[in-house]
Amino acid sequence: MSLKRAQELPDAGIITEAGNAVDFKTGDWRTYVPQFHEENCIHCMFCWIYCPDSAIDVDTSGDKPQMKGILLDHCKGCGICATECPPAAKGKAALVMVREEK
Amino acid sequence: MTRTVNQELTALSGNEAVAYAFKQARPHVASAFPITPQTEMMHKFADFVANGESSAEMILVESEHSAMSAAVGSAASGARTITATSSAGFALMWEIVYIAASLRLPIQMALVNRALSGNINIHCDHSDSMGGRDAGWIHHFCENAQEAYDAGLINFRIGEHMDVRLPAMVNYDGFIISHKEDALYMLDDEAAYDFVGPYKHKYTLLDPANPVTVGPLDLTDYYFEHKYSQLEAYPRVFDVAQEVFDEYADLTGRRYGFYEEYKLDDADLVMVILGSSAGTAKDVVDEYREKGVKIGLLKLRMFRPFPADQLKSVLSGRQAIAVLDRSASFGGWGGPVFTEIRSALYGTADQAPLHNWIYGLGGRDFELGHAAEVIDALQKIASGGEVPTLNLLGCRA
Amino acid sequence: MALSLKEMVKHEDLLTGGHRACAGCTGANILRQIMLTAGPNTVMGGATGCMEVVTTIYPYTAWKNSFIHSAFENVAATISGAETAYRSLQKHGELPQAAADAERMNFIAFGGDGGTYDIGIQALSGAMERGHRMVYVCYDNGAYMNTGIQRSSATPFGAHTSTAPAGSVKQGKEQDRKDLTEILVAHNIPYVAQTTPFHWKDLATKVEKALSCGGPAFLNILMPCTVGWGFPMERGMQIAKEAVETNFWPLFEVEDGVYKINKKPKERKPIADWMKEQARFRHVFKPGNESMLEHAQQWVDQQWDLLLKRETMTNM
Ligand code: SF4
Ligand code: SF4
């Protein structure tokens, strides 16, 4: 993003584009990345509610929400989703943290 | 265009007069914490609210810091917002006083001037206002209740103007003006509100259709640019203020400017002063005029933004200038008004010698004799005599 | 309100990704969860602190709703100003259309324990006493994390911080935590509660109760901090869960003065289990510091006892 001149900015240093942080990619902070094993997923939405970075992609169009995967632009690879994912306890992890190849 | 309105001659204290002005502007929100000598102003305003004469919502906060913070929250939500304080109360607000200006929120404040501690003292000097002189507010100083009332109304128009958007304070001397019953002309409520006009916001937190983030973390890449756009607003105040002064003169017959000239046209010697002491000084100027001394007075009304260009022209071609400061700059070279004027005049072709007198700290009376002492010194300077640049007036030292 | 994730997932995420919180920050998750319940008609105020910083680094904002920050110690006062402006503009018929049309505008102030327990307690107390219809949320991570993990009055006994470190003579914080939640209960406001982000249902319920109680409300939310507490970044939610299981952070609410403990562990886990997982307590387990551990357990038990008594007393 090129830096704007003073005259191009709104007064008082306010930000008028609400939620424009989506344009800031934090995905490159990652060392590990959650790998999604859809076959084990029970679509419980725990990963979605616990993610600090709104990085769980969910399809809410149907009757039951569907976990679709990870939004890599923002996922910081913390592993909370994988830790909280219930099927892991039964040895059928739907999310597994793996070292990311870059 | 002359559009004079009916004005009633009333007797009010300065605090009451400003409370009336603020009420007539129909603020949405008033937030304040009591401190002497501002208290009476707040009581009067609370009476207006209690009696239904003002529909403002009051926030009776637990400190001045919160008074200014609540005012910021209110003004950022698109509400016309007023507050009032004095001395230590203003000092406690300080951090947020800067923020109010940076966020370009035209909050209106009555600053009833009182000495800063320590030691604690409840009487008038200008150290409170002067301490906040670089915070970014408009500072209006007044000589009496009439001026305080008028400035109270005028400040809304200047500060809220879309080209300005800055908070403004009306400064009036604690006890001397705030508590003294004085005769003044007031506009009726309708005429006053017609003059001030309805409040318009530039941005608001209260519009979910247009959400804004106010006060973000601003680092090395943008902070300076935001300060640039703030700095840019101050020169614009002069044009806006001049328009408002003219309109107010048409309406009321009372003409204001950035300063008042008293017998200045042909004056070789000039005294510069702020606030209520100007009244005393004028009497002494009259006395010396009768004796044939060409002395005049410049009463500065607007200290921020500082009308440097205007002062440059009016103070040029004099023989000696005395600047009187009702506050000291500890460790600085001269009082704040002195250093400012000296700096403004630096490099003008026929610059007269400038001397500084600090007076009236902690409410010490400014007496006729003090003004005379200054004029005597000016005569001495004009005739080539030696007078120290920095002086104290009325202190047993 | 149907409180299922199936329903909640349909709510708009109002705190976007792209904020700069540390990986695994439970604080960012707390704010995100709050906003899922509060919705877009919310004015949010942040005290200076981690969460304010990471969500609003110019020219970016992670807030899709209106947000204001002004200083460290004054967020309660700032939001009380916004709430008052709302009431006044509503009375005068001068609200922006979208606010006038909104069923309810929410006013929320948040601060960390630094901005809440310490420097901001005066403004908080004032705002609560004045009765503004606003919710104050403290995200309590038990230290001044934003400035580099200095001790606060919320730091638990024994914890290592950068201003009360564990050394050869001193062994971390020497005082017990201040009970801020209880101080807020003493304000006699309609709603006070404690929760954690692990307990998402509890959290959402309490946010809604707080927003709809008609007056001031206070939520104290435990925020395990991976950096400041020293645990692996994927463990934050589990640490929050265990804080409840050990009675370190009971889930309870006080509605119009009546206490209700929302979760009573069947078998209280020893506090040492919880402390062991966190590097800030490492020295407590060294030989010679047994009395510290004892004290920590005693304190937790005593606080829990008190809470049980308060519940009994206010339900008689
Ligand atoms: S937590 Fe696991 S099982 Fe539940 S939706 Fe996420 S990936 Fe699927
Ligand atoms: S690893 Fe962390 S940031 Fe990435 S999706 Fe999982 S919880 Fe979200």
Side-chain angles (χ1 to χ4, degrees), chain B residues 189-252:
Chain B
D189 286 358
E190 290 306 312
Y193 186 70
D194 274 355
F195 169 75
V196 173
Y199 185 72
K200 293 189 188 74
H201 62 255
K202 206 159 183 180
Y203 62 84
T204 171
L205 295 166
L206 291 182
D207 186 1
N210 297 288
V212 285
T213 286
V214 178
L217 176 67
D218 210 359
L219 297 173
T220 50
D221 53 353
Y222 277 106
Y223 181 89
F224 205 167
E225 280 66 31
H226 291 135
K227 289 298 130 183
Y228 169 90
S229 41
Q230 188 184 345
L231 281 167
E232 266 232 298
Y234 297 91
R236 289 200 294 266
V237 171
F238 299 116
D239 286 344
V240 169
Q242 193 56 60
E243 259 174 51
V244 178
F245 292 150
D246 291 346
E247 196 184 316
Y248 198 72
D250 287 345
L251 190 67
T252 65

Side-chain angles (χ1 to χ4, degrees), chain C residues 22 52 70 74 83 87 104 109 114 116 122 126 142 157 180 187 195 200 209 217-218 233 245 259 271 290 311:
Chain C
C22 306
E52 162 268 325
S70 98
N74 69 346
E83 187 268 348
R87 271 188 287 120
R104 179 182 79 199
T116 310
Q122 176 180 321
F157 170 79
L180 183 70
H187 281 70
T195 186
W200 61 267
K209 277 188 176 183
F218 176 79
M233 60 186 171
E245 292 168 348
Y259 283 70
I271 191 68
E290 292 77 7
E311 189 187 38

Side-chain angles (χ1 to χ4, degrees), chain C residues 65-127:
Chain C
N65 54 298
S66 277
F67 175 89
I68 182 167
H69 160 257
S70 98
F72 194 3
E73 67 283 55
N74 69 346
V75 65
T78 309
I79 289 300
S80 75
E83 187 268 348
T84 308
Y86 172 75
R87 271 188 287 120
S88 188
L89 293 170
Q90 187 175 47
K91 178 172 80 181
H92 289 95
E94 295 174 37
L95 279 175
Q97 202 52 50
D101 293 346
E103 200 182 305
R104 179 182 79 199
M105 284 293 289
N106 301 316
F107 296 89
I108 307 179
F110 69 79
D113 45 297
T116 310
Y117 282 70
D118 292 344
I119 198 170
I121 192 169
Q122 176 180 321
L124 168 61
S125 177

Side-chain angles (χ1 to χ4, degrees), chain B residues 159-173:
Chain B
E160 292 177 3
H161 194 283
M162 282 300 163
D163 292 345
V164 174
R165 303 309 284 185
L166 288 170
M169 63 177 81
V170 42
N171 288 275
Y172 52 102
D173 291 347

Side-chain angles (χ1 to χ4, degrees), chain A residues 36 41-47 67 85-87 94-95:
Chain A
F36 183 41
C41 177
I42 57 170
H43 304 284
C44 64
M45 298 296 119
F46 280 6
C47 54
M67 155 69 170
C85 174
L95 288 166

